[in-house]
Amino acid sequence: MSGELKVLGACPLDCPDTCSWVVTVQDGKAVKLRGNPDHPYTRGALCVKVNRYLEHTRAGDRLLYPLRRTGPKGAGRFERISWQEALDEISDRLRSIVAEHGGEAIWPYQGTGSLGYLQGEEGHAGRRFWNMLGASRHFLNICSTAGSLGLRRANGTAAGMDPEMFAQSKLILLWGTNTLTSGHHLWKFIQDARADGAHVVAIDPIRTRTADQADQHLAIRPGTDAALALGLLNVVLREGAEDRDFLERHTEGWAEFRQEILRHPVERVAEITGIPAEDVHSLGMRLAHTRPTGIRATMGVQRHEGGGSAMQTIAAIPGVTGDWRHPGGGVAYSTSDHVKVRIDPRNDLLEKPVRTLTMTRLAEGLEGESVKCLWVFGANPLGSTSDTNRIRQGLAREDLFTVVMEQFPTDTVDYADIVLPATMQTEHMDLHAGYGHLYLMWNEPAVEPPGECLSTTETFRRLAAHMGMTEPSLFDSDLELAEQLLSSGDPSLDGITLERLRKEGWIRLNYPDPFTPFAEGFPTPSGRMRFPRKGYTLSLSARTAGQGPYPLTLITPAAHTFLNTTFANNPELLRRAKDPRVLVNPADAEARGLADNDRVRVHNATGEFLADVEVSDRVARGVVASPKGSWPKLSPGGANPNAVVAERDADMGRGAVYHDNLVELELVADV
């Protein structure tokens, strides 16, 4: 066909699969998007969300030009201005803030809207510019921090199994992960394992679409995962099935941890977790006598007050059973720590040490007067961050200068003083690595940006020049930045050049295949896996559910049609998602006089949101579930589930607690 071109790229979104894709371009216009059939993990398939990506780039509400606020904060009223005007105003305000309050009064608030190493959070995009101003550091803890730290305390790294190795597992535990919604490409490898006789168990408070397809579903009480791990290991010990050679040669702290296991017999664990004792015992027997066992545990399992210790205890399982010896054995949480690129935010540009501000404490951070500029990019905190009512109050401060780099008019954009239009993935260069596989991928721009949209890197280059900065590294091109990333010298990058990546689109990191990362030791100071020494923390809801004015535990799982808040303004995906819903167990619905499609107020002392009831045994008694991701301004009542999520910290890494909040339901009359 005349003028047709195939352009290789990669999905930028916050998903472990980071798909390789192919964009078909005709006469300068992207006309088709498909998963790359040659990529071993993508295998030609995208998800229901990303299948609409090209449509999304051309949406009628796409932001195409710089904007200046003309109405009250929150009203979403703007006028179009030029880039020159935008850069003039931003430069003046930043200089004034630094002069009057110091650089730490600036909070660069970056999110996971893109996981790119050039344009997104993986490479700390913009950090060199912020270091020149002495801005506060931003701690991006919203997603996986508690679990990552728990794994690092155990194994020395949050990395583990190559997920492709699940094809060789004989027992697969899908622990707190809804694979068919959040990372469905893994399912192909699980299917390969099942064809070879593997048994698949879903451990999840919700009977998800993944649990429907598993051989067994254990409806665990939210936040009691560590207790279940100990109960399963109790059965392993009683069977004498621990790998004593592996324990002796590759672990430390076993004597103390063994006593903790023995304090968790099946009957006690059943009381804590809500799982029948016979189910705990039968799965423990399978675990004791099935090698290799592969455990897929993702971010949902650690979004509660005990999230770090939960992941540390789950990580202990293959240390006891010796599954790390075997291809298909171990734990897969994130592969990011296997990616050894060179990230250089040029911290030497800082004149002095600066404070760190925590992403999930945005409401707290805006309540005082120490933050004078909030610069939001790759994030939609009014849709994605805890305690949105207090965030809204902070964003309404007249003394707060807010700049938002965005693609669409989100709730957060409505509070901006200046809005800068951002490119989308088909319009800029980027380097990617999935946190659910072992491939580096290059994203080549397929089309020119629409309107006056700029990439993240180009925006900061222009701003640095406009402010008269002369530090050469601020003006490195995207290709120069990519070369720097690939220059770490780590053996996993041997032979991987930018020229090769741009030509081939993707390259597997140089790890053995099959990959057994800890068969001969761990990247800890002693070279041994470290068992937990201080017990574990139950979630707030596990400790107090059923008590007080808010007796129900709220879970906020990923929606099937949105990715965080991305796509939550797409008309077709909104239609498929329907109005926000809350799953309610029949016993809880009956006790409150609720029926299907009743609109209820889901509330607690933090806030409230509205949702329509779906009476279902997919959740246990005492548990309710409402998917995350909807835009508050497109939701009934102007709020989504984050309105009831408190700004509390998990036990490690100040992780978020999205699945650890207590609520009550109240019928809304005359809807």
Side-chain angles (χ1 to χ4, degrees), residues 363-441:
E364 178 183 88
L366 295 181
E367 279 181 339
E369 297 184 356
S370 68
V371 176
K372 295 296 185 181
C373 172
L374 184 72
W375 189 291
V376 180
F377 56 123
N380 179 18
L382 273 179
S384 296
T385 306
S386 312
D387 207 345
T388 48
N389 290 329
R390 288 171 58 218
I391 292 174
R392 198 179 296 274
Q393 292 169 9
L395 290 174
R397 281 174 37 200
E398 286 299 329
D399 67 323
L400 179 69
F401 179 55
T402 302
V403 178
V404 181
M405 298 164 62
E406 247 297 351
Q407 301 155 355
F408 293 98
T410 65
D411 292 78
T412 306
V413 163
D414 289 347
Y415 285 83
D417 294 290
I418 298 290
V419 180
L420 301 178
T423 49
M424 295 180 69
Q425 188 74 347
T426 51
E427 302 153 7
H428 57 228
M429 292 181 179
D430 215 338
L431 178 70
H432 286 268
Y435 62 90
H437 58 61
L438 295 178
Y439 298 90
L440 277 184
M441 288 179 287

Side-chain angles (χ1 to χ4, degrees), residues 49 177-185 187 209-211 213 560:
K49 302 170 277 283
T177 183
N178 184 6
T179 305
L180 290 174
T181 285
S182 302
H184 71 90
H185 294 82
W187 196 253
R209 62 181 62 215
T210 301
Q213 297 299 316
H560 195 68

Side-chain angles (χ1 to χ4, degrees), residues 220-475:
I220 191 170
R221 183 171 291 133
T224 63
D225 308 275
L228 178 59
L230 292 167
L232 297 176
L233 288 174
N234 187 282
V235 178
V236 171
L237 290 191
R238 293 188 182 282
E239 288 292 297
E242 67 271 29
D243 188 327
R244 296 174 186 175
D245 177 69
F246 193 88
L247 286 166
E248 181 179 348
R249 293 199 297 124
H250 298 305
T251 72
E252 61 182 62
W254 170 237
E256 299 92 333
F257 186 59
R258 183 176 183 276
Q259 293 305 309
E260 180 72 1
I261 293 171
L262 294 176
R263 287 191 288 270
H264 285 77
V266 165
E267 294 75 19
R268 182 188 176 199
V269 168
E271 291 178 3
I272 296 171
T273 64
I275 300 171
E278 56 269 26
D279 290 342
V280 177
H281 182 264
S282 66
L283 181 56
M285 291 292 288
R286 282 188 183 274
L287 176 63
H289 299 293
T290 308
R291 306 274 76 75
T293 290
I295 302 171
R296 176 62 163 168
T298 56
M299 288 67 208
V301 79
Q302 49 91 65
R303 287 179 177 154
H304 61 82
E305 282 192 6
S309 59
M311 279 305 309
Q312 187 177 9
T313 310
I314 291 169
I317 293 175
V320 176
T321 60
D323 273 298
W324 285 120
R325 296 180 185 273
H326 311 291
V331 176
Y333 179 70
S334 168
T335 56
S336 291
D337 281 2
H338 286 313
V339 182
K340 307 292 187 181
V341 296
R342 175 176 170 257
I343 298 171
D344 184 12
R346 291 297 308 276
N347 291 327
D348 60 300
L349 299 177
L350 284 167
E351 290 187 355
K352 61 180 182 179
V354 296
R355 67 178 178 175
T356 297
L357 297 172
T358 300
M359 186 174 193
T360 54
R361 291 288 184 153
L362 178 59
E364 178 183 88
L366 295 181
E367 279 181 339
E369 297 184 356
S370 68
V371 176
K372 295 296 185 181
C373 172
L374 184 72
W375 189 291
V376 180
F377 56 123
N380 179 18
L382 273 179
S384 296
T385 306
S386 312
D387 207 345
T388 48
N389 290 329
R390 288 171 58 218
I391 292 174
R392 198 179 296 274
Q393 292 169 9
L395 290 174
R397 281 174 37 200
E398 286 299 329
D399 67 323
L400 179 69
F401 179 55
T402 302
V403 178
V404 181
M405 298 164 62
E406 247 297 351
Q407 301 155 355
F408 293 98
T410 65
D411 292 78
T412 306
V413 163
D414 289 347
Y415 285 83
D417 294 290
I418 298 290
V419 180
L420 301 178
T423 49
M424 295 180 69
Q425 188 74 347
T426 51
E427 302 153 7
H428 57 228
M429 292 181 179
D430 215 338
L431 178 70
H432 286 268
Y435 62 90
H437 58 61
L438 295 178
Y439 298 90
L440 277 184
M441 288 179 287
W442 179 255
N443 185 77
E444 190 74 16
V447 295
E448 291 296 318
E452 296 178 3
C453 295
L454 294 181
S455 68
T456 301
T457 48
E458 182 60 20
T459 297
F460 286 118
R461 282 190 287 262
R462 292 195 187 187
L463 184 55
H466 207 78
M467 294 189 70
M469 296 178 181
T470 58
E471 161 57 41
S473 67
L474 298 176
F475 305 101

